[in-house]
Amino acid sequence: MTSEQAADPLELIAIGSWWKTGASPNALLDDSEQCVVELGEGHQTQNDISLVTRGLAVCMRGKGWFALKQ
């Protein structure tokens, strides 16, 4: 078991910015909404996607996004 698997998927993480080569702000919103649908309402983003759950951050990484923590 990795430390990521052992971590609480609902733990909140403060994100400074999101990055994905060639992606638009709308793509960020679309992908985050898809992650919420996949993971459930408990993973709804806050503060314009600057406060997210660990589970949502992992889902976004799977979609090619990189987060810079605050």
Side-chain angles (χ1 to χ4, degrees), residues 13-59:
I13 301 171
I15 304 297
S17 62
W18 289 97
W19 297 89
K20 182 177 179 180
T21 302
S24 69
N26 286 337
L28 173 64
L29 295 174
D30 292 344
D31 285 347
S32 68
E33 288 173 9
Q34 287 177 1
C35 285
V36 171
V37 168
E38 292 172 23
L39 298 170
E41 283 300 314
H43 294 273
Q44 187 64 47
T45 64
Q46 300 175 34
N47 298 339
D48 296 325
I49 313 177
S50 65
L51 187 61
V52 301
T53 63
R54 181 173 300 282
L56 189 122
V58 170
C59 180

